[in-house]
Amino acid sequence: MSSGPGTPSAPAPTAPTTPTARRSSMFSSLKVRNYRLFFAGQVVSNIGTWMQRIAQDWLVLSLTGSATAVGVTTALQFLPMLLFGLYGGVLVDRLNKRRALLVTQTSMALTGVALALLTLSGHVQVWHVYLAAFAVGLATVVDNPARQSFVSEMVGPHQLQNAVSLNSANFQSARLVGPAVAGLMITGVGTGWAFLFNGLSFVAPLAGLLLMRARELHVVERAPRGKGQLREGLRYVAGRPDLTWTIILVGFIGTFGFNFPVYLSAFADDVFHAGAGSYSLFNTLMAVGSLAGALLAARRGTAKLRVMLAAAVAFGGLELVAAAAPSLWLFSLLMVPIGMFGMTVNVTANTTVQMGTDPAMRGRVMALYMMVFMGGSPIGAPIAGWITDAYGVRAGLAVGGAIAAAAAVVIGLVLARVGNLRLSVGWHGGHPRIRFVPREHQDHLAPAA
């Protein structure tokens, strides 16, 4: 496995670099048996996760009649990641990731089953839901960086982007199925059965982990127990501009660009006066675009910073266009490319950070990445809500898009300066071509003074 700059790695095979190979390798990481087991388990578990999200919010609203209580539940689920996320990364670097996942997935399964039994027996109270949400959040502190970094141990460096992309496609597919199934189940038999399905759905990933062949995993040396490992991880990221600025970009996108629960509900209700059906349509079309973005990223096979930066600019620019969309149908159509470019940023940034990180540091770095990405919502959502209430939802979405696009442009210029690159604009094969090239190349071509 690649150990970051300065560490030699085996050369990649020639075939995957050809366009034909890229087109035929969209699902290439599924040829790896261990990853195939992991992927199949996640298909079932992700559907259960989306079902529990819907059922959890509906149950809290039914018990309290308060939207604030729903917000408290969400905050409790994300709070452990904000408080302890970096420490979770330190633990993951020390632990066997497969065994860690067996523990975290089991704990989340038991939480779902316990909540199901309380709900089905009629004894559930809102503090039970709060406690369950916080318990899931605590498990996520270790589960999230362990799952992210375990992917590279299953597939190796050359299949990493493909596997990360397929994981995202898996999650987005579940986003299309899970809420719909949850709605039918809640209406038909009650929220308790949705919780029970989620609890039992963890049997699939647990079985996949148990059936894996340990000898086929890519061996990664675990970090020894020692003092100052958290600071060591932060110093490592601080000394790597490519990692630092990628994580900063993800922070800006996550904090200001991804506040769609605030924006989409307001557009459906206040701008187009179309009700809950349109809100559901907006989310579905965005999920379709996100799924397409994940699959296209899987097809590319390599992570490039320029792709990430261009996608971020396009994402922010499309949000600006959507903010001014005069009709419901145009706004709806824009959700597809917004979802696609947003997912392209996410997948490319995730792969860039994983591939550029020393395996012994990967848990800590991915914990920081996920903390910045997931921790942006509790900060950005109130800001987006305030702008929307004060100036209207069109202004709120426009500000979010402008910040996302500006951050991508500024970070692109910073990375170019750090890497001693310049922007090259020209034509290639009859099409415009924009890329960064070394400044030395420009100096070599320039005439002598």
mmCIF file of all heavy atoms in Angstrom, residues 323-364:
data_model
loop_
_atom_site.group_PDB
_atom_site.id
_atom_site.type_symbol
_atom_site.label_atom_id
_atom_site.label_comp_id
_atom_site.label_asym_id
_atom_site.label_seq_id
_atom_site.Cartn_x
_atom_site.Cartn_y
_atom_site.Cartn_z
ATOM 1 N N ALA A 323 -30.832 29.211 -7.237
ATOM 2 C CA ALA A 323 -31.397 30.255 -6.382
ATOM 3 C C ALA A 323 -32.253 31.232 -7.169
ATOM 4 O O ALA A 323 -33.200 31.816 -6.631
ATOM 5 C CB ALA A 323 -30.271 31.004 -5.663
ATOM 6 N N ALA A 324 -31.924 31.393 -8.458
ATOM 7 C CA ALA A 324 -32.671 32.330 -9.305
ATOM 8 C C ALA A 324 -33.688 31.633 -10.194
ATOM 9 O O ALA A 324 -34.347 32.296 -11.007
ATOM 10 C CB ALA A 324 -31.691 33.127 -10.166
ATOM 11 N N ALA A 325 -33.817 30.297 -10.090
ATOM 12 C CA ALA A 325 -34.717 29.542 -10.977
ATOM 13 C C ALA A 325 -36.148 30.074 -10.851
ATOM 14 O O ALA A 325 -36.694 30.120 -9.748
ATOM 15 C CB ALA A 325 -34.672 28.056 -10.630
ATOM 16 N N PRO A 326 -36.771 30.443 -11.970
ATOM 17 C CA PRO A 326 -38.110 31.059 -11.892
ATOM 18 C C PRO A 326 -39.256 30.058 -11.762
ATOM 19 O O PRO A 326 -40.367 30.446 -11.414
ATOM 20 C CB PRO A 326 -38.207 31.817 -13.225
ATOM 21 C CG PRO A 326 -37.346 31.018 -14.165
ATOM 22 C CD PRO A 326 -36.224 30.463 -13.335
ATOM 23 N N SER A 327 -38.995 28.787 -12.069
ATOM 24 C CA SER A 327 -40.107 27.827 -12.088
ATOM 25 C C SER A 327 -39.736 26.563 -11.332
ATOM 26 O O SER A 327 -38.559 26.232 -11.162
ATOM 27 C CB SER A 327 -40.479 27.466 -13.528
ATOM 28 O OG SER A 327 -39.387 26.834 -14.183
ATOM 29 N N LEU A 328 -40.756 25.855 -10.904
ATOM 30 C CA LEU A 328 -40.562 24.629 -10.142
ATOM 31 C C LEU A 328 -39.863 23.558 -10.963
ATOM 32 O O LEU A 328 -38.971 22.865 -10.456
ATOM 33 C CB LEU A 328 -41.918 24.104 -9.657
ATOM 34 C CG LEU A 328 -41.831 22.789 -8.883
ATOM 35 C CD1 LEU A 328 -42.231 22.997 -7.433
ATOM 36 C CD2 LEU A 328 -42.743 21.731 -9.470
ATOM 37 N N TRP A 329 -40.221 23.426 -12.235
ATOM 38 C CA TRP A 329 -39.639 22.357 -13.049
ATOM 39 C C TRP A 329 -38.149 22.598 -13.296
ATOM 40 O O TRP A 329 -37.346 21.665 -13.269
ATOM 41 C CB TRP A 329 -40.384 22.200 -14.372
ATOM 42 C CG TRP A 329 -40.218 23.329 -15.347
ATOM 43 C CD1 TRP A 329 -41.042 24.398 -15.504
ATOM 44 C CD2 TRP A 329 -39.154 23.496 -16.303
ATOM 45 N NE1 TRP A 329 -40.556 25.246 -16.481
ATOM 46 C CE2 TRP A 329 -39.407 24.707 -16.999
ATOM 47 C CE3 TRP A 329 -38.025 22.757 -16.639
ATOM 48 C CZ2 TRP A 329 -38.567 25.180 -17.999
ATOM 49 C CZ3 TRP A 329 -37.187 23.225 -17.645
ATOM 50 C CH2 TRP A 329 -37.470 24.417 -18.314
ATOM 51 N N LEU A 330 -37.741 23.862 -13.503
ATOM 52 C CA LEU A 330 -36.326 24.154 -13.721
ATOM 53 C C LEU A 330 -35.534 23.911 -12.427
ATOM 54 O O LEU A 330 -34.448 23.318 -12.465
ATOM 55 C CB LEU A 330 -36.152 25.603 -14.180
ATOM 56 C CG LEU A 330 -34.700 26.053 -14.426
ATOM 57 C CD1 LEU A 330 -34.025 25.177 -15.468
ATOM 58 C CD2 LEU A 330 -34.657 27.522 -14.851
ATOM 59 N N PHE A 331 -36.082 24.341 -11.303
ATOM 60 C CA PHE A 331 -35.421 24.111 -10.021
ATOM 61 C C PHE A 331 -35.265 22.610 -9.770
ATOM 62 O O PHE A 331 -34.212 22.148 -9.337
ATOM 63 C CB PHE A 331 -36.237 24.752 -8.896
ATOM 64 C CG PHE A 331 -35.592 24.652 -7.540
ATOM 65 C CD1 PHE A 331 -34.649 25.579 -7.129
ATOM 66 C CD2 PHE A 331 -35.928 23.627 -6.669
ATOM 67 C CE1 PHE A 331 -34.050 25.499 -5.883
ATOM 68 C CE2 PHE A 331 -35.338 23.522 -5.417
ATOM 69 C CZ PHE A 331 -34.397 24.470 -5.024
ATOM 70 N N SER A 332 -36.321 21.847 -10.085
ATOM 71 C CA SER A 332 -36.281 20.392 -9.886
ATOM 72 C C SER A 332 -35.188 19.757 -10.735
ATOM 73 O O SER A 332 -34.415 18.917 -10.257
ATOM 74 C CB SER A 332 -37.629 19.767 -10.222
ATOM 75 O OG SER A 332 -38.657 20.288 -9.412
ATOM 76 N N LEU A 333 -35.091 20.162 -12.010
ATOM 77 C CA LEU A 333 -34.085 19.586 -12.899
ATOM 78 C C LEU A 333 -32.663 19.900 -12.428
ATOM 79 O O LEU A 333 -31.757 19.076 -12.577
ATOM 80 C CB LEU A 333 -34.289 20.105 -14.330
ATOM 81 C CG LEU A 333 -35.508 19.573 -15.083
ATOM 82 C CD1 LEU A 333 -35.624 20.248 -16.444
ATOM 83 C CD2 LEU A 333 -35.421 18.063 -15.257
ATOM 84 N N LEU A 334 -32.471 21.071 -11.840
ATOM 85 C CA LEU A 334 -31.135 21.459 -11.378
ATOM 86 C C LEU A 334 -30.667 20.606 -10.194
ATOM 87 O O LEU A 334 -29.463 20.533 -9.924
ATOM 88 C CB LEU A 334 -31.122 22.936 -10.985
ATOM 89 C CG LEU A 334 -31.132 23.930 -12.159
ATOM 90 C CD1 LEU A 334 -31.405 25.338 -11.652
ATOM 91 C CD2 LEU A 334 -29.801 23.888 -12.913
ATOM 92 N N MET A 335 -31.598 19.961 -9.494
ATOM 93 C CA MET A 335 -31.211 19.112 -8.363
ATOM 94 C C MET A 335 -30.331 17.942 -8.807
ATOM 95 O O MET A 335 -29.475 17.481 -8.041
ATOM 96 C CB MET A 335 -32.451 18.572 -7.646
ATOM 97 C CG MET A 335 -33.287 19.615 -6.906
ATOM 98 S SD MET A 335 -32.347 20.517 -5.647
ATOM 99 C CE MET A 335 -32.010 22.062 -6.518
ATOM 100 N N VAL A 336 -30.520 17.465 -10.034
ATOM 101 C CA VAL A 336 -29.739 16.314 -10.504
ATOM 102 C C VAL A 336 -28.253 16.669 -10.657
ATOM 103 O O VAL A 336 -27.395 16.008 -10.059
ATOM 104 C CB VAL A 336 -30.317 15.752 -11.817
ATOM 105 C CG1 VAL A 336 -29.449 14.604 -12.339
ATOM 106 C CG2 VAL A 336 -31.746 15.258 -11.597
ATOM 107 N N PRO A 337 -27.895 17.715 -11.436
ATOM 108 C CA PRO A 337 -26.458 18.031 -11.523
ATOM 109 C C PRO A 337 -25.876 18.541 -10.215
ATOM 110 O O PRO A 337 -24.689 18.323 -9.938
ATOM 111 C CB PRO A 337 -26.387 19.098 -12.624
ATOM 112 C CG PRO A 337 -27.758 19.673 -12.703
ATOM 113 C CD PRO A 337 -28.686 18.553 -12.360
ATOM 114 N N ILE A 338 -26.668 19.223 -9.380
ATOM 115 C CA ILE A 338 -26.159 19.657 -8.075
ATOM 116 C C ILE A 338 -25.775 18.443 -7.239
ATOM 117 O O ILE A 338 -24.706 18.400 -6.620
ATOM 118 C CB ILE A 338 -27.201 20.531 -7.348
ATOM 119 C CG1 ILE A 338 -27.270 21.915 -7.996
ATOM 120 C CG2 ILE A 338 -26.860 20.663 -5.865
ATOM 121 C CD1 ILE A 338 -28.356 22.814 -7.448
ATOM 122 N N GLY A 339 -26.642 17.429 -7.220
ATOM 123 C CA GLY A 339 -26.315 16.194 -6.504
ATOM 124 C C GLY A 339 -25.110 15.503 -7.097
ATOM 125 O O GLY A 339 -24.254 14.981 -6.361
ATOM 126 N N MET A 340 -24.990 15.501 -8.428
ATOM 127 C CA MET A 340 -23.882 14.821 -9.094
ATOM 128 C C MET A 340 -22.549 15.487 -8.766
ATOM 129 O O MET A 340 -21.577 14.817 -8.391
ATOM 130 C CB MET A 340 -24.102 14.816 -10.608
ATOM 131 C CG MET A 340 -23.039 14.048 -11.375
ATOM 132 S SD MET A 340 -23.350 14.037 -13.159
ATOM 133 C CE MET A 340 -23.012 15.745 -13.570
ATOM 134 N N PHE A 341 -22.465 16.823 -8.884
ATOM 135 C CA PHE A 341 -21.196 17.513 -8.618
ATOM 136 C C PHE A 341 -20.871 17.508 -7.123
ATOM 137 O O PHE A 341 -19.695 17.430 -6.745
ATOM 138 C CB PHE A 341 -21.239 18.937 -9.163
ATOM 139 C CG PHE A 341 -21.091 19.015 -10.655
ATOM 140 C CD1 PHE A 341 -22.143 19.427 -11.457
ATOM 141 C CD2 PHE A 341 -19.902 18.643 -11.264
ATOM 142 C CE1 PHE A 341 -22.013 19.492 -12.836
ATOM 143 C CE2 PHE A 341 -19.756 18.704 -12.644
ATOM 144 C CZ PHE A 341 -20.819 19.118 -13.435
ATOM 145 N N GLY A 342 -21.894 17.586 -6.267
ATOM 146 C CA GLY A 342 -21.644 17.501 -4.835
ATOM 147 C C GLY A 342 -21.027 16.161 -4.458
ATOM 148 O O GLY A 342 -20.082 16.093 -3.663
ATOM 149 N N MET A 343 -21.549 15.084 -5.032
ATOM 150 C CA MET A 343 -21.002 13.760 -4.751
ATOM 151 C C MET A 343 -19.604 13.608 -5.341
ATOM 152 O O MET A 343 -18.736 12.953 -4.751
ATOM 153 C CB MET A 343 -21.932 12.686 -5.322
ATOM 154 C CG MET A 343 -21.471 11.257 -5.043
ATOM 155 S SD MET A 343 -21.189 10.905 -3.292
ATOM 156 C CE MET A 343 -22.819 11.153 -2.629
ATOM 157 N N THR A 344 -19.341 14.207 -6.504
ATOM 158 C CA THR A 344 -18.007 14.155 -7.105
ATOM 159 C C THR A 344 -16.976 14.789 -6.175
ATOM 160 O O THR A 344 -15.877 14.256 -5.982
ATOM 161 C CB THR A 344 -18.000 14.869 -8.467
ATOM 162 O OG1 THR A 344 -18.931 14.220 -9.341
ATOM 163 C CG2 THR A 344 -16.615 14.829 -9.095
ATOM 164 N N VAL A 345 -17.320 15.939 -5.580
ATOM 165 C CA VAL A 345 -16.422 16.576 -4.614
ATOM 166 C C VAL A 345 -16.167 15.644 -3.441
ATOM 167 O O VAL A 345 -15.020 15.432 -3.023
ATOM 168 C CB VAL A 345 -17.024 17.909 -4.107
ATOM 169 C CG1 VAL A 345 -16.146 18.507 -3.007
ATOM 170 C CG2 VAL A 345 -17.176 18.905 -5.245
ATOM 171 N N ASN A 346 -17.233 15.070 -2.896
ATOM 172 C CA ASN A 346 -17.125 14.221 -1.714
ATOM 173 C C ASN A 346 -16.252 12.998 -1.974
ATOM 174 O O ASN A 346 -15.324 12.695 -1.210
ATOM 175 C CB ASN A 346 -18.531 13.793 -1.276
ATOM 176 C CG ASN A 346 -18.527 13.064 0.055
ATOM 177 O OD1 ASN A 346 -17.529 13.039 0.770
ATOM 178 N ND2 ASN A 346 -19.644 12.463 0.385
ATOM 179 N N VAL A 347 -16.524 12.275 -3.070
ATOM 180 C CA VAL A 347 -15.790 11.044 -3.372
ATOM 181 C C VAL A 347 -14.327 11.354 -3.681
ATOM 182 O O VAL A 347 -13.409 10.675 -3.197
ATOM 183 C CB VAL A 347 -16.451 10.293 -4.546
ATOM 184 C CG1 VAL A 347 -15.554 9.157 -5.025
ATOM 185 C CG2 VAL A 347 -17.808 9.754 -4.132
ATOM 186 N N THR A 348 -14.087 12.378 -4.493
ATOM 187 C CA THR A 348 -12.715 12.704 -4.890
ATOM 188 C C THR A 348 -11.897 13.178 -3.694
ATOM 189 O O THR A 348 -10.724 12.802 -3.540
ATOM 190 C CB THR A 348 -12.712 13.782 -5.988
ATOM 191 O OG1 THR A 348 -13.606 13.395 -7.038
ATOM 192 C CG2 THR A 348 -11.324 13.959 -6.568
ATOM 193 N N ALA A 349 -12.505 13.989 -2.834
ATOM 194 C CA ALA A 349 -11.798 14.446 -1.633
ATOM 195 C C ALA A 349 -11.497 13.276 -0.711
ATOM 196 O O ALA A 349 -10.381 13.153 -0.184
ATOM 197 C CB ALA A 349 -12.640 15.494 -0.903
ATOM 198 N N ASN A 350 -12.472 12.394 -0.513
ATOM 199 C CA ASN A 350 -12.278 11.222 0.355
ATOM 200 C C ASN A 350 -11.121 10.369 -0.150
ATOM 201 O O ASN A 350 -10.233 9.979 0.614
ATOM 202 C CB ASN A 350 -13.579 10.413 0.396
ATOM 203 C CG ASN A 350 -13.546 9.282 1.402
ATOM 204 O OD1 ASN A 350 -12.628 8.481 1.437
ATOM 205 N ND2 ASN A 350 -14.583 9.181 2.204
ATOM 206 N N THR A 351 -11.113 10.095 -1.445
ATOM 207 C CA THR A 351 -10.063 9.252 -2.017
ATOM 208 C C THR A 351 -8.707 9.945 -1.974
ATOM 209 O O THR A 351 -7.681 9.318 -1.677
ATOM 210 C CB THR A 351 -10.404 8.895 -3.473
ATOM 211 O OG1 THR A 351 -11.753 8.440 -3.545
ATOM 212 C CG2 THR A 351 -9.483 7.808 -3.998
ATOM 213 N N THR A 352 -8.686 11.246 -2.263
ATOM 214 C CA THR A 352 -7.432 12.008 -2.228
ATOM 215 C C THR A 352 -6.795 11.945 -0.844
ATOM 216 O O THR A 352 -5.588 11.724 -0.696
ATOM 217 C CB THR A 352 -7.689 13.477 -2.616
ATOM 218 O OG1 THR A 352 -8.190 13.537 -3.960
ATOM 219 C CG2 THR A 352 -6.412 14.306 -2.526
ATOM 220 N N VAL A 353 -7.617 12.133 0.188
ATOM 221 C CA VAL A 353 -7.106 12.117 1.559
ATOM 222 C C VAL A 353 -6.610 10.718 1.937
ATOM 223 O O VAL A 353 -5.525 10.561 2.508
ATOM 224 C CB VAL A 353 -8.183 12.611 2.543
ATOM 225 C CG1 VAL A 353 -7.750 12.395 3.987
ATOM 226 C CG2 VAL A 353 -8.476 14.089 2.304
ATOM 227 N N GLN A 354 -7.393 9.689 1.596
ATOM 228 C CA GLN A 354 -6.980 8.323 1.945
ATOM 229 C C GLN A 354 -5.711 7.912 1.211
ATOM 230 O O GLN A 354 -4.786 7.340 1.801
ATOM 231 C CB GLN A 354 -8.099 7.327 1.631
ATOM 232 C CG GLN A 354 -9.284 7.407 2.577
ATOM 233 C CD GLN A 354 -9.976 6.066 2.709
ATOM 234 O OE1 GLN A 354 -9.356 5.059 3.019
ATOM 235 N NE2 GLN A 354 -11.280 6.058 2.466
ATOM 236 N N MET A 355 -5.647 8.191 -0.082
ATOM 237 C CA MET A 355 -4.492 7.777 -0.877
ATOM 238 C C MET A 355 -3.231 8.537 -0.494
ATOM 239 O O MET A 355 -2.118 8.017 -0.607
ATOM 240 C CB MET A 355 -4.775 7.978 -2.369
ATOM 241 C CG MET A 355 -5.761 6.989 -2.955
ATOM 242 S SD MET A 355 -5.107 5.313 -3.017
ATOM 243 C CE MET A 355 -3.831 5.490 -4.249
ATOM 244 N N GLY A 356 -3.387 9.783 -0.037
ATOM 245 C CA GLY A 356 -2.232 10.593 0.283
ATOM 246 C C GLY A 356 -1.746 10.446 1.711
ATOM 247 O O GLY A 356 -0.787 11.114 2.098
ATOM 248 N N THR A 357 -2.407 9.577 2.494
ATOM 249 C CA THR A 357 -2.089 9.460 3.914
ATOM 250 C C THR A 357 -1.330 8.179 4.203
ATOM 251 O O THR A 357 -1.667 7.111 3.675
ATOM 252 C CB THR A 357 -3.391 9.483 4.746
ATOM 253 O OG1 THR A 357 -4.092 10.691 4.483
ATOM 254 C CG2 THR A 357 -3.092 9.386 6.232
ATOM 255 N N ASP A 358 -0.319 8.284 5.045
ATOM 256 C CA ASP A 358 0.397 7.107 5.522
ATOM 257 C C ASP A 358 -0.605 6.174 6.204
ATOM 258 O O ASP A 358 -1.417 6.622 7.025
ATOM 259 C CB ASP A 358 1.476 7.546 6.515
ATOM 260 C CG ASP A 358 2.396 6.405 6.911
ATOM 261 O OD1 ASP A 358 1.888 5.374 7.385
ATOM 262 O OD2 ASP A 358 3.625 6.559 6.770
ATOM 263 N N PRO A 359 -0.594 4.865 5.873
ATOM 264 C CA PRO A 359 -1.564 3.941 6.475
ATOM 265 C C PRO A 359 -1.590 3.981 7.996
ATOM 266 O O PRO A 359 -2.646 3.805 8.599
ATOM 267 C CB PRO A 359 -1.104 2.573 5.958
ATOM 268 C CG PRO A 359 -0.435 2.866 4.656
ATOM 269 C CD PRO A 359 0.235 4.192 4.847
ATOM 270 N N ALA A 360 -0.457 4.215 8.641
ATOM 271 C CA ALA A 360 -0.419 4.260 10.103
ATOM 272 C C ALA A 360 -1.126 5.488 10.657
ATOM 273 O O ALA A 360 -1.461 5.535 11.841
ATOM 274 C CB ALA A 360 1.028 4.243 10.589
ATOM 275 N N MET A 361 -1.372 6.495 9.795
ATOM 276 C CA MET A 361 -2.037 7.733 10.207
ATOM 277 C C MET A 361 -3.475 7.803 9.701
ATOM 278 O O MET A 361 -4.202 8.743 10.036
ATOM 279 C CB MET A 361 -1.269 8.946 9.643
ATOM 280 C CG MET A 361 0.063 9.197 10.285
ATOM 281 S SD MET A 361 -0.170 10.010 11.871
ATOM 282 C CE MET A 361 1.543 10.333 12.306
ATOM 283 N N ARG A 362 -3.895 6.827 8.904
ATOM 284 C CA ARG A 362 -5.146 6.967 8.162
ATOM 285 C C ARG A 362 -6.371 7.111 9.065
ATOM 286 O O ARG A 362 -7.291 7.874 8.765
ATOM 287 C CB ARG A 362 -5.307 5.780 7.211
ATOM 288 C CG ARG A 362 -6.378 5.985 6.160
ATOM 289 C CD ARG A 362 -6.267 4.950 5.061
ATOM 290 N NE ARG A 362 -5.177 5.249 4.150
ATOM 291 C CZ ARG A 362 -4.440 4.325 3.550
ATOM 292 N NH1 ARG A 362 -4.645 3.046 3.796
ATOM 293 N NH2 ARG A 362 -3.482 4.677 2.711
ATOM 294 N N GLY A 363 -6.417 6.387 10.185
ATOM 295 C CA GLY A 363 -7.559 6.497 11.079
ATOM 296 C C GLY A 363 -7.714 7.900 11.628
ATOM 297 O O GLY A 363 -8.813 8.465 11.641
ATOM 298 N N ARG A 364 -6.601 8.509 12.070
ATOM 299 C CA ARG A 364 -6.656 9.858 12.625
ATOM 300 C C ARG A 364 -7.018 10.889 11.560
ATOM 301 O O ARG A 364 -7.832 11.792 11.802
ATOM 302 C CB ARG A 364 -5.308 10.210 13.252
ATOM 303 C CG ARG A 364 -5.106 9.652 14.648
ATOM 304 C CD ARG A 364 -3.664 9.672 15.104
ATOM 305 N NE ARG A 364 -2.908 8.575 14.497
ATOM 306 C CZ ARG A 364 -1.647 8.318 14.767
ATOM 307 N NH1 ARG A 364 -0.986 9.081 15.620
ATOM 308 N NH2 ARG A 364 -1.032 7.294 14.205
#
